[in-house]
Amino acid sequence: MSLPSIGFLQRLSLIVMLGVSAGAVLSWGVLRSRLASLRDVEPHRRLQRLLFWTACPAAAGLLMAAVGLAPSWLHEIGVGHDHCHTPSGHVLELCLLHTGHLPTSSAIGWGLIGLVVGGVGLQWASDLQKLGHAHRTIQRLEDVPRTDASESQPYQRLAVDEPIAATLGLLFPRIVISEGLLETLDASHVDAVLAHESHHADRRHGLLCWSARLLSRLHVPALQSTLLDDIELACEQIADRRAAEQVGGPVPVAEALVEVKQSQLDRLGATMTPPSSMAFDEHRLERRVRDLLETEWRTPNLWPPAVALASGGFVLAAHEPFHRAMEMGLGVFW
Amino acid sequence: MDTTLSDLGDLEKAVLEYLWASGPADVKTVYRAIGVERSITHNTVQSALKRLYEKDLLERSKEGRAFVYGPRVDRRQLTERSVGEVVDELTSGDMEVALQAFVDIADDAGRETLDELERLIDQHRDGED
Protein backbone atom coordinates (compact mmCIF):
# COMPACT_ATOMS: atom_id res chain seq x y z
CA MET A 1 0.00 0.00 0.00
CA SER A 2 1.39 3.38 -0.96
CA LEU A 3 1.35 6.60 1.01
CA PRO A 4 -1.64 8.82 0.26
CA SER A 5 -1.09 11.68 -2.18
CA ILE A 6 -2.35 15.19 -1.65
CA GLY A 7 -5.05 14.50 -4.23
CA PHE A 8 -6.13 11.37 -2.37
CA LEU A 9 -6.32 13.26 0.91
CA GLN A 10 -8.36 15.95 -0.77
CA ARG A 11 -10.86 13.45 -2.09
CA LEU A 12 -11.06 11.67 1.22
CA SER A 13 -11.64 15.02 2.95
CA LEU A 14 -14.48 15.79 0.57
CA ILE A 15 -16.03 12.38 1.22
CA VAL A 16 -15.84 12.98 4.97
CA MET A 17 -17.39 16.44 4.55
CA LEU A 18 -20.18 14.88 2.54
CA GLY A 19 -20.82 12.42 5.34
CA VAL A 20 -20.74 15.12 7.99
CA SER A 21 -23.14 17.27 5.96
CA ALA A 22 -25.52 14.36 5.42
CA GLY A 23 -25.44 13.61 9.14
CA ALA A 24 -26.10 17.26 9.96
CA VAL A 25 -29.04 17.51 7.58
CA LEU A 26 -30.51 14.22 8.83
CA SER A 27 -30.20 15.34 12.46
CA TRP A 28 -31.78 18.69 11.72
CA GLY A 29 -34.61 17.05 9.82
CA VAL A 30 -35.37 14.65 12.67
CA LEU A 31 -34.79 16.93 15.64
CA ARG A 32 -36.63 20.04 14.50
CA SER A 33 -39.88 18.17 14.78
CA ARG A 34 -39.00 15.75 17.56
CA LEU A 35 -37.08 17.78 20.12
CA ALA A 36 -40.27 18.90 21.84
CA SER A 37 -41.40 15.27 22.11
CA LEU A 38 -38.27 14.48 24.12
CA ARG A 39 -39.38 16.86 26.86
CA ASP A 40 -40.98 14.24 29.08
CA VAL A 41 -38.40 11.52 28.43
CA GLU A 42 -36.53 10.51 31.56
CA PRO A 43 -33.43 12.76 31.71
CA HIS A 44 -30.84 10.02 31.43
CA ARG A 45 -32.52 8.52 28.35
CA ARG A 46 -33.01 11.99 26.92
CA LEU A 47 -29.32 12.72 27.36
CA GLN A 48 -28.42 9.50 25.55
CA ARG A 49 -30.70 10.42 22.64
CA LEU A 50 -29.33 13.95 22.47
CA LEU A 51 -25.72 12.76 22.55
CA PHE A 52 -26.49 10.26 19.81
CA TRP A 53 -27.85 12.97 17.53
CA THR A 54 -25.06 15.36 18.49
CA ALA A 55 -22.49 12.80 17.38
CA CYS A 56 -24.41 11.92 14.22
CA PRO A 57 -22.56 14.17 11.74
CA ALA A 58 -19.13 13.18 13.09
CA ALA A 59 -20.11 9.51 12.99
CA ALA A 60 -21.41 9.83 9.42
CA GLY A 61 -18.14 11.46 8.37
CA LEU A 62 -16.10 8.68 9.99
CA LEU A 63 -18.28 6.06 8.31
CA MET A 64 -17.67 7.64 4.92
CA ALA A 65 -13.91 7.69 5.59
CA ALA A 66 -14.01 4.03 6.60
CA VAL A 67 -15.90 3.06 3.44
CA GLY A 68 -13.44 5.10 1.36
CA LEU A 69 -10.41 3.37 2.88
CA ALA A 70 -11.90 -0.08 3.43
CA PRO A 71 -10.78 -1.82 0.19
CA SER A 72 -7.18 -0.65 0.59
CA TRP A 73 -7.00 -1.63 4.26
CA LEU A 74 -8.74 -4.96 3.85
CA HIS A 75 -6.45 -5.88 0.99
CA GLU A 76 -3.43 -4.84 3.05
CA ILE A 77 -4.38 -7.20 5.89
CA GLY A 78 -5.06 -10.00 3.45
CA VAL A 79 -8.83 -10.07 3.85
CA GLY A 80 -10.15 -8.22 0.78
CA HIS A 81 -9.33 -8.72 -2.87
CA ASP A 82 -7.67 -6.10 -5.05
CA HIS A 83 -10.94 -4.50 -6.12
CA CYS A 84 -9.30 -2.09 -8.56
CA HIS A 85 -8.76 -4.85 -11.14
CA THR A 86 -12.31 -6.07 -11.30
CA PRO A 87 -13.81 -5.15 -14.68
CA SER A 88 -16.24 -2.32 -14.07
CA GLY A 89 -14.94 0.85 -15.75
CA HIS A 90 -13.71 1.62 -12.26
CA VAL A 91 -12.16 5.05 -11.56
CA LEU A 92 -9.20 4.99 -9.17
CA GLU A 93 -10.15 7.94 -6.96
CA LEU A 94 -9.81 6.31 -3.55
CA CYS A 95 -7.05 3.78 -3.92
CA LEU A 96 -3.90 3.33 -1.86
CA LEU A 97 -2.88 0.12 -3.60
CA HIS A 98 -1.66 1.26 -6.96
CA THR A 99 1.07 3.83 -7.48
CA GLY A 100 1.06 5.78 -10.71
CA HIS A 101 -2.70 6.17 -10.53
CA LEU A 102 -2.88 8.56 -7.61
CA PRO A 103 -5.24 11.46 -8.30
CA THR A 104 -4.08 15.07 -8.35
CA SER A 105 -5.66 17.76 -6.23
CA SER A 106 -7.77 20.61 -7.55
CA ALA A 107 -8.18 24.23 -6.53
CA ILE A 108 -11.98 23.94 -6.39
CA GLY A 109 -11.64 21.02 -4.03
CA TRP A 110 -9.36 22.96 -1.70
CA GLY A 111 -11.71 25.91 -1.90
CA LEU A 112 -14.65 23.78 -0.78
CA ILE A 113 -12.65 22.16 2.00
CA GLY A 114 -11.31 25.54 3.16
CA LEU A 115 -14.80 26.99 3.31
CA VAL A 116 -16.26 24.27 5.47
CA VAL A 117 -13.22 23.56 7.63
CA GLY A 118 -12.70 27.29 8.10
CA GLY A 119 -16.24 27.77 9.34
CA VAL A 120 -16.07 24.90 11.80
CA GLY A 121 -12.48 25.75 12.71
CA LEU A 122 -13.38 29.29 13.68
CA GLN A 123 -16.03 28.02 16.06
CA TRP A 124 -13.66 25.49 17.58
CA ALA A 125 -11.00 28.17 17.95
CA SER A 126 -13.50 30.36 19.80
CA ASP A 127 -14.49 27.44 22.05
CA LEU A 128 -10.84 26.68 22.82
CA GLN A 129 -10.16 30.31 23.62
CA LYS A 130 -13.07 30.33 26.09
CA LEU A 131 -11.78 27.12 27.62
CA GLY A 132 -8.31 28.62 28.05
CA HIS A 133 -9.80 31.66 29.73
CA ALA A 134 -11.93 29.47 32.01
CA HIS A 135 -8.91 27.35 32.89
CA ARG A 136 -6.89 30.44 33.89
CA THR A 137 -9.75 31.60 36.10
CA ILE A 138 -9.95 28.20 37.77
CA GLN A 139 -6.16 28.22 38.30
CA ARG A 140 -6.51 31.54 40.12
CA LEU A 141 -8.68 29.81 42.66
CA GLU A 142 -5.46 28.10 43.75
CA ASP A 143 -4.28 31.51 44.96
CA VAL A 144 -7.26 31.77 47.27
CA PRO A 145 -6.42 30.31 50.68
CA ARG A 146 -8.84 27.76 52.04
CA THR A 147 -10.40 28.51 55.38
CA ASP A 148 -9.79 26.03 58.19
CA ALA A 149 -13.37 24.79 57.96
CA SER A 150 -13.08 24.00 54.29
CA GLU A 151 -10.03 21.72 54.66
CA SER A 152 -12.27 18.81 55.60
CA GLN A 153 -15.02 19.66 53.12
CA PRO A 154 -15.32 18.25 49.61
CA TYR A 155 -15.66 21.76 48.24
CA GLN A 156 -13.76 25.04 48.22
CA ARG A 157 -15.41 27.73 50.30
CA LEU A 158 -15.29 31.18 48.73
CA ALA A 159 -15.28 34.07 51.19
CA VAL A 160 -17.77 36.18 49.25
CA ASP A 161 -21.39 37.21 49.71
CA GLU A 162 -22.52 36.32 46.19
CA PRO A 163 -24.62 33.14 46.19
CA ILE A 164 -22.42 30.74 44.24
CA ALA A 165 -22.47 26.97 43.99
CA ALA A 166 -20.80 25.42 40.99
CA THR A 167 -18.63 22.63 39.67
CA LEU A 168 -15.63 23.92 37.78
CA GLY A 169 -13.27 22.23 35.38
CA LEU A 170 -13.34 19.31 32.96
CA LEU A 171 -10.77 16.65 33.86
CA PHE A 172 -10.45 17.29 37.61
CA PRO A 173 -13.66 19.04 38.53
CA ARG A 174 -13.88 20.92 41.81
CA ILE A 175 -16.87 22.21 43.69
CA VAL A 176 -17.00 25.79 44.96
CA ILE A 177 -19.63 27.16 47.32
CA SER A 178 -19.66 30.70 48.64
CA GLU A 179 -20.08 31.71 52.26
CA GLY A 180 -22.94 33.92 51.13
CA LEU A 181 -24.80 30.82 49.94
CA LEU A 182 -23.95 28.74 53.00
CA GLU A 183 -25.37 31.47 55.23
CA THR A 184 -28.58 31.62 53.18
CA LEU A 185 -29.41 27.92 53.09
CA ASP A 186 -30.27 25.59 55.93
CA ALA A 187 -28.49 22.26 56.39
CA SER A 188 -30.90 20.18 54.27
CA HIS A 189 -30.60 22.60 51.37
CA VAL A 190 -26.81 22.67 51.60
CA ASP A 191 -26.88 18.85 51.47
CA ALA A 192 -29.06 19.04 48.36
CA VAL A 193 -26.70 21.51 46.67
CA LEU A 194 -23.66 19.45 47.55
CA ALA A 195 -25.27 16.20 46.35
CA HIS A 196 -26.19 17.88 43.07
CA GLU A 197 -22.72 19.32 42.45
CA SER A 198 -21.00 16.10 43.55
CA HIS A 199 -22.92 14.23 40.90
CA HIS A 200 -21.73 16.68 38.24
CA ALA A 201 -18.16 16.15 39.44
CA ASP A 202 -18.41 12.36 39.67
CA ARG A 203 -19.93 12.04 36.18
CA ARG A 204 -17.60 14.62 34.61
CA HIS A 205 -20.61 16.43 33.14
CA GLY A 206 -18.33 19.34 32.34
CA LEU A 207 -16.20 17.17 30.06
CA LEU A 208 -19.31 15.62 28.51
CA CYS A 209 -20.85 19.02 27.74
CA TRP A 210 -17.53 20.28 26.38
CA SER A 211 -17.27 17.27 24.02
CA ALA A 212 -20.87 17.84 22.95
CA ARG A 213 -20.06 21.48 22.30
CA LEU A 214 -17.25 20.55 19.90
CA LEU A 215 -19.38 17.96 18.11
CA SER A 216 -22.33 20.35 17.88
CA ARG A 217 -20.24 22.66 15.68
CA LEU A 218 -20.69 20.12 12.88
CA HIS A 219 -24.43 20.68 12.97
CA VAL A 220 -26.67 23.13 11.16
CA PRO A 221 -26.15 26.47 12.99
CA ALA A 222 -29.85 26.76 13.84
CA LEU A 223 -29.61 23.52 15.84
CA GLN A 224 -26.30 24.03 17.66
CA SER A 225 -27.36 26.12 20.62
CA THR A 226 -30.64 24.21 21.04
CA LEU A 227 -28.80 20.90 21.25
CA LEU A 228 -26.32 22.27 23.77
CA ASP A 229 -29.03 23.83 25.93
CA ASP A 230 -30.99 20.57 25.99
CA ILE A 231 -27.89 18.54 26.87
CA GLU A 232 -27.01 20.92 29.70
CA LEU A 233 -30.59 20.84 30.97
CA ALA A 234 -30.60 17.03 30.91
CA CYS A 235 -27.34 16.98 32.93
CA GLU A 236 -28.85 19.38 35.49
CA GLN A 237 -31.98 17.27 35.79
CA ILE A 238 -29.99 14.08 36.23
CA ALA A 239 -28.04 15.75 39.03
CA ASP A 240 -31.31 17.06 40.54
CA ARG A 241 -32.78 13.57 40.62
CA ARG A 242 -29.64 12.01 42.14
CA ALA A 243 -29.62 14.75 44.76
CA ALA A 244 -33.31 14.05 45.49
CA GLU A 245 -32.48 10.38 46.03
CA GLN A 246 -29.71 11.32 48.44
CA VAL A 247 -31.63 13.83 50.54
CA GLY A 248 -34.81 11.80 50.78
CA GLY A 249 -37.06 13.44 48.22
CA PRO A 250 -37.42 16.14 45.58
CA VAL A 251 -38.81 18.86 47.88
CA PRO A 252 -35.48 19.90 49.53
CA VAL A 253 -33.83 20.09 46.09
CA ALA A 254 -36.69 22.19 44.69
CA GLU A 255 -36.58 24.42 47.74
CA ALA A 256 -32.81 24.86 47.38
CA LEU A 257 -33.22 25.83 43.71
CA VAL A 258 -35.78 28.50 44.54
CA GLU A 259 -33.81 29.78 47.57
CA VAL A 260 -30.60 30.14 45.57
CA LYS A 261 -32.41 32.04 42.81
CA GLN A 262 -34.07 34.32 45.33
CA SER A 263 -30.70 34.95 46.89
CA GLN A 264 -29.27 35.84 43.49
CA LEU A 265 -32.13 38.27 42.84
CA ASP A 266 -31.71 39.85 46.28
CA ARG A 267 -28.00 40.21 45.83
CA LEU A 268 -27.88 41.29 42.21
CA GLY A 269 -31.18 43.10 41.89
CA ALA A 270 -34.03 42.85 39.42
CA THR A 271 -31.85 43.55 36.39
CA MET A 272 -30.37 40.28 35.32
CA THR A 273 -28.25 39.34 32.36
CA PRO A 274 -30.55 37.81 29.76
CA PRO A 275 -29.99 34.13 29.18
CA SER A 276 -27.72 33.30 26.27
CA SER A 277 -30.16 30.77 24.89
CA MET A 278 -33.17 28.85 26.14
CA ALA A 279 -34.44 25.66 24.57
CA PHE A 280 -38.01 26.16 25.71
CA ASP A 281 -40.32 29.07 26.50
CA GLU A 282 -40.25 28.53 30.23
CA HIS A 283 -37.17 29.31 32.25
CA ARG A 284 -34.78 26.48 32.89
CA LEU A 285 -35.13 26.87 36.66
CA GLU A 286 -38.92 26.65 36.43
CA ARG A 287 -38.69 23.59 34.27
CA ARG A 288 -36.29 21.89 36.68
CA VAL A 289 -38.53 22.51 39.67
CA ARG A 290 -41.72 21.43 37.90
CA ASP A 291 -40.11 18.34 36.43
CA LEU A 292 -38.69 17.38 39.84
CA LEU A 293 -42.11 17.62 41.47
CA GLU A 294 -44.66 16.82 38.81
CA THR A 295 -43.45 15.10 35.67
CA GLU A 296 -44.03 11.44 35.07
CA TRP A 297 -41.14 10.41 32.91
CA ARG A 298 -41.31 8.24 29.79
CA THR A 299 -38.56 5.70 29.25
CA PRO A 300 -38.64 4.88 25.53
CA ASN A 301 -36.29 2.27 24.21
CA LEU A 302 -33.20 3.18 22.26
CA TRP A 303 -34.26 1.76 18.91
CA PRO A 304 -33.32 4.78 16.75
CA PRO A 305 -29.65 4.66 17.82
CA ALA A 306 -29.70 0.88 17.55
CA VAL A 307 -31.09 1.06 14.00
CA ALA A 308 -28.51 3.70 13.11
CA LEU A 309 -25.66 1.60 14.46
CA ALA A 310 -26.94 -1.46 12.63
CA SER A 311 -27.22 0.54 9.40
CA GLY A 312 -23.66 1.80 9.81
CA GLY A 313 -22.45 -1.71 10.41
CA PHE A 314 -24.28 -2.94 7.30
CA VAL A 315 -22.70 -0.20 5.17
CA LEU A 316 -19.26 -1.14 6.45
CA ALA A 317 -19.79 -4.83 5.93
CA ALA A 318 -21.16 -4.31 2.39
CA HIS A 319 -18.87 -1.39 1.61
CA GLU A 320 -18.00 -2.40 -1.97
CA PRO A 321 -20.95 -0.84 -3.82
CA PHE A 322 -20.81 2.26 -1.61
CA HIS A 323 -17.10 2.63 -2.27
CA ARG A 324 -17.61 2.33 -6.01
CA ALA A 325 -20.43 4.86 -5.91
CA MET A 326 -18.08 7.27 -4.09
CA GLU A 327 -15.38 6.83 -6.68
CA MET A 328 -17.81 7.25 -9.58
CA GLY A 329 -19.12 10.42 -7.98
CA LEU A 330 -15.62 11.80 -7.48
CA GLY A 331 -14.67 10.80 -11.02
CA VAL A 332 -17.51 12.90 -12.40
CA PHE A 333 -16.10 16.06 -10.83
CA TRP A 334 -12.38 15.48 -11.49
CA MET B 1 -8.04 48.44 38.22
CA ASP B 2 -6.78 47.12 41.56
CA THR B 3 -3.92 44.64 41.45
CA THR B 4 -4.76 41.12 42.60
CA LEU B 5 -2.73 38.05 43.47
CA SER B 6 -2.98 36.74 39.92
CA ASP B 7 -1.22 39.85 38.63
CA LEU B 8 1.89 39.14 40.71
CA GLY B 9 4.93 37.05 39.86
CA ASP B 10 6.54 34.60 42.28
CA LEU B 11 9.22 37.08 43.37
CA GLU B 12 6.67 39.81 43.97
CA LYS B 13 4.58 37.43 46.09
CA ALA B 14 7.69 36.41 48.05
CA VAL B 15 8.59 40.07 48.70
CA LEU B 16 5.08 40.79 49.92
CA GLU B 17 5.07 37.74 52.18
CA TYR B 18 8.39 38.88 53.69
CA LEU B 19 7.19 42.42 54.31
CA TRP B 20 3.90 41.20 55.82
CA ALA B 21 5.84 38.98 58.18
CA SER B 22 8.77 41.26 59.04
CA GLY B 23 7.47 44.79 58.54
CA PRO B 24 9.00 47.64 56.49
CA ALA B 25 12.51 47.09 55.15
CA ASP B 26 14.99 48.56 52.71
CA VAL B 27 16.20 46.86 49.52
CA LYS B 28 19.35 45.49 51.11
CA THR B 29 17.44 43.81 53.93
CA VAL B 30 14.90 42.26 51.58
CA TYR B 31 17.69 41.09 49.28
CA ARG B 32 19.53 39.39 52.15
CA ALA B 33 16.31 37.71 53.29
CA ILE B 34 14.96 36.35 50.02
CA GLY B 35 17.31 37.32 47.17
CA VAL B 36 20.40 35.38 48.17
CA GLU B 37 18.62 32.00 48.41
CA ARG B 38 17.11 32.59 44.99
CA SER B 39 20.48 33.49 43.48
CA ILE B 40 19.10 36.71 42.08
CA THR B 41 20.77 40.10 42.08
CA HIS B 42 20.20 43.08 44.32
CA ASN B 43 18.88 44.97 41.28
CA THR B 44 16.25 42.31 40.63
CA VAL B 45 14.91 42.66 44.17
CA GLN B 46 14.96 46.43 43.82
CA SER B 47 12.94 46.19 40.59
CA ALA B 48 10.38 43.95 42.27
CA LEU B 49 9.95 46.39 45.13
CA LYS B 50 9.58 49.25 42.68
CA ARG B 51 6.94 47.37 40.69
CA LEU B 52 4.96 46.62 43.83
CA TYR B 53 5.16 50.29 44.79
CA GLU B 54 3.90 51.29 41.33
CA LYS B 55 1.04 48.79 41.69
CA ASP B 56 0.04 50.55 44.91
CA LEU B 57 0.73 47.52 47.06
CA LEU B 58 3.67 49.10 48.88
CA GLU B 59 4.37 52.51 50.31
CA ARG B 60 7.86 53.88 50.75
CA SER B 61 9.70 56.54 52.64
CA LYS B 62 13.24 57.84 52.37
CA GLU B 63 15.54 57.10 55.27
CA GLY B 64 18.94 58.55 54.60
CA ARG B 65 19.83 57.61 51.07
CA ALA B 66 17.70 54.47 50.84
CA PHE B 67 14.00 53.87 50.42
CA VAL B 68 12.24 51.81 53.07
CA TYR B 69 9.27 49.83 51.72
CA GLY B 70 6.26 48.73 53.74
CA PRO B 71 2.97 47.05 52.78
CA ARG B 72 0.04 49.29 51.87
CA VAL B 73 -2.47 46.41 51.81
CA ASP B 74 -2.52 43.39 54.09
CA ARG B 75 -2.87 39.76 53.06
CA ARG B 76 -6.61 39.66 53.72
CA GLN B 77 -7.30 42.70 51.55
CA LEU B 78 -5.28 41.32 48.64
CA THR B 79 -6.96 37.94 48.95
CA GLU B 80 -10.38 39.57 48.95
CA ARG B 81 -9.51 41.43 45.77
CA SER B 82 -8.40 38.17 44.13
CA VAL B 83 -11.51 36.34 45.22
CA GLY B 84 -13.65 39.23 44.02
CA GLU B 85 -12.05 39.11 40.61
CA VAL B 86 -12.51 35.36 40.32
CA VAL B 87 -16.13 35.64 41.44
CA ASP B 88 -16.75 38.30 38.81
CA GLU B 89 -15.44 35.86 36.23
CA LEU B 90 -17.55 33.00 37.60
CA THR B 91 -20.71 35.05 37.39
CA SER B 92 -19.97 36.74 34.08
CA GLY B 93 -21.17 33.94 31.80
CA ASP B 94 -17.77 33.55 30.17
CA MET B 95 -17.14 30.40 32.18
CA GLU B 96 -20.01 28.46 30.59
CA VAL B 97 -17.64 26.03 28.83
CA ALA B 98 -16.23 24.71 32.12
CA LEU B 99 -18.80 25.50 34.78
CA GLN B 100 -22.02 23.86 35.96
CA ALA B 101 -23.77 26.26 38.30
CA PHE B 102 -26.44 24.97 40.67
CA VAL B 103 -28.60 27.81 39.41
CA ASP B 104 -27.48 29.70 36.33
CA ILE B 105 -27.19 33.36 37.22
CA ALA B 106 -28.32 34.18 33.68
CA ASP B 107 -31.64 32.37 34.17
CA ASP B 108 -34.04 35.29 34.28
CA ALA B 109 -36.79 33.65 36.33
CA GLY B 110 -38.33 36.59 38.19
CA ARG B 111 -40.01 36.91 41.56
CA GLU B 112 -43.45 36.04 40.18
CA THR B 113 -42.13 32.76 38.82
CA LEU B 114 -40.39 32.04 42.12
CA ASP B 115 -43.59 32.76 44.09
CA GLU B 116 -45.48 30.37 41.85
CA LEU B 117 -42.83 27.71 42.33
CA GLU B 118 -42.96 28.19 46.09
CA ARG B 119 -46.70 27.56 46.03
CA LEU B 120 -46.08 24.41 44.01
CA ILE B 121 -43.46 23.26 46.50
CA ASP B 122 -45.83 23.97 49.41
CA GLN B 123 -48.49 21.77 47.78
CA HIS B 124 -46.04 18.92 47.46
CA ARG B 125 -44.67 19.40 50.93
CA ASP B 126 -48.21 19.31 52.36
CA GLY B 127 -48.93 16.26 50.23
CA GLU B 128 -45.90 14.47 51.65
CA ASP B 129 -46.92 15.42 55.18
Side-chain angles (χ1 to χ4, degrees):
Chain A
M1 197 161 71
S2 55
L3 288 173
S5 69
I6 295 292
F8 177 92
L9 290 173
Q10 184 186 69
R11 279 152 179 75
L12 192 64
S13 302
L14 286 167
I15 290 293
V16 169
M17 271 170 41
L18 191 64
V20 167
S21 303
V25 168
L26 175 67
S27 305
W28 177 69
V30 169
L31 287 177
R32 66 183 180 143
S33 58
R34 292 187 59 98
L35 258 181
S37 70
L38 290 178
R39 189 204 158 95
D40 62 345
V41 172
E42 184 271 323
H44 196 248
R45 290 278 175 116
R46 186 175 354 123
L47 182 63
Q48 288 174 336
R49 288 279 181 101
L50 290 169
L51 289 175
F52 167 77
W53 287 111
T54 303
C56 185
L62 284 175
L63 181 63
M64 295 288 267
V67 169
L69 293 170
S72 302
W73 281 347
L74 289 174
H75 178 80
E76 190 67 11
I77 63 173
V79 173
H81 61 278
D82 181 358
H83 82 301
C84 295
H85 287 144
T86 55
S88 63
H90 182 70
V91 182
L92 302 174
E93 296 290 345
L94 288 169
C95 177
L96 290 171
L97 298 175
H98 301 97
T99 58
H101 296 284
L102 298 174
T104 56
S105 64
S106 81
I108 296 174
W110 287 127
L112 271 173
I113 291 169
L115 209 62
V116 174
V117 169
V120 174
L122 278 174
Q123 293 183 88
W124 279 345
S126 170
D127 290 335
L128 281 169
Q129 189 185 30
K130 282 185 187 174
L131 184 66
H133 177 76
H135 176 72
R136 283 190 294 277
T137 300
I138 293 169
Q139 287 295 110
R140 276 160 36 204
L141 281 173
E142 296 293 334
D143 287 336
V144 177
R146 288 182 171 238
T147 63
D148 290 340
S150 72
E151 285 298 333
S152 57
Q153 297 287 357
Y155 58 85
Q156 182 171 359
R157 198 170 162 134
L158 296 178
V160 294
D161 296 332
E162 282 85 352
I164 295 170
T167 304
L168 307 175
L170 304 186
L171 292 176
F172 305 104
R174 69 170 77 182
I175 300 170
V176 293
I177 303 181
S178 67
E179 284 185 354
L181 192 68
L182 291 170
E183 282 158 19
T184 303
L185 302 178
D186 67 28
S188 68
H189 296 156
V190 171
D191 288 344
V193 170
L194 202 48
H196 174 102
E197 296 301 331
S198 295
H199 191 74
H200 279 322
D202 292 343
R203 293 295 179 190
R204 300 279 194 288
H205 280 165
L207 185 60
L208 187 142
C209 289
W210 166 249
S211 305
R213 177 179 292 270
L214 293 181
L215 288 173
S216 77
R217 301 309 187 196
L218 299 175
H219 276 270
V220 168
L223 192 57
Q224 287 180 18
S225 59
T226 305
L227 264 178
L228 278 178
D229 278 346
D230 284 2
I231 287 171
E232 286 168 4
L233 176 61
C235 288
E236 293 297 338
Q237 289 185 306
I238 289 168
D240 287 341
R241 294 182 77 204
R242 293 296 173 266
E245 285 166 17
Q246 263 190 274
V247 299
V251 169
V253 182
E255 287 174 337
L257 284 167
V258 171
E259 282 261 10
V260 170
K261 192 61 194 175
Q262 273 173 342
S263 184
Q264 286 175 353
L265 286 178
D266 291 342
R267 173 82 188 153
L268 299 167
T271 309
M272 303 289 290
T273 309
S276 53
S277 164
M278 296 298 291
F280 295 88
D281 290 335
E282 65 187 329
H283 309 291
R284 184 183 285 191
L285 175 74
E286 184 180 357
R287 175 144 174 218
R288 283 170 67 186
V289 171
R290 289 190 183 281
D291 285 349
L292 255 177
L293 298 176
E294 295 185 316
T295 301
E296 306 235 348
W297 300 112
R298 288 192 296 123
T299 52
N301 56 32
L302 290 172
W303 69 262
V307 165
L309 284 170
S311 304
F314 167 75
V315 167
L316 265 180
H319 64 268
E320 191 81 22
F322 297 99
H323 181 90
R324 287 183 186 278
M326 276 183 198
E327 290 191 324
M328 298 300 281
L330 285 169
V332 167
F333 291 104
W334 269 268
Chain B
M1 200 164 70
D2 287 339
T3 304
T4 62
L5 275 169
S6 61
D7 300 319
L8 303 179
D10 288 340
L11 178 60
E12 289 170 336
K13 285 181 194 169
V15 166
L16 268 178
E17 289 287 348
Y18 173 76
L19 292 175
W20 282 329
S22 307
D26 60 16
V27 177
K28 200 183 285 185
T29 309
V30 177
Y31 169 70
R32 268 195 236 115
I34 65 171
V36 174
E37 70 192 20
R38 284 176 165 73
S39 304
I40 54 177
T41 65
H42 181 276
N43 277 353
T44 305
V45 173
Q46 187 171 31
S47 299
L49 283 162
K50 194 173 166 215
R51 281 197 304 273
L52 287 169
Y53 170 71
E54 284 164 359
K55 288 176 183 174
D56 260 345
L57 295 176
L58 297 183
E59 52 196 16
R60 69 182 182 188
S61 56
K62 200 105 186 230
E63 286 186 14
R65 286 165 54 179
F67 279 118
V68 172
Y69 292 87
R72 188 192 286 274
V73 295
D74 59 29
R75 185 184 283 107
R76 190 182 61 84
Q77 287 169 312
L78 195 58
T79 303
E80 277 176 6
R81 276 193 210 169
S82 299
V83 172
E85 194 179 83
V86 170
V87 166
D88 285 345
E89 294 283 347
L90 293 182
T91 55
S92 70
D94 292 340
M95 292 283 295
E96 58 174 349
V97 297
L99 176 148
Q100 287 84 49
F102 184 64
V103 174
D104 190 349
I105 208 159
D107 187 316
D108 63 354
R111 296 208 188 268
E112 272 186 34
T113 304
L114 296 183
D115 290 342
E116 208 178 302
L117 292 175
E118 276 187 342
R119 283 191 285 276
L120 180 67
I121 292 170
D122 287 340
Q123 285 170 16
H124 280 266
R125 194 189 300 114
D126 295 342
E128 282 180 6
D129 294 341

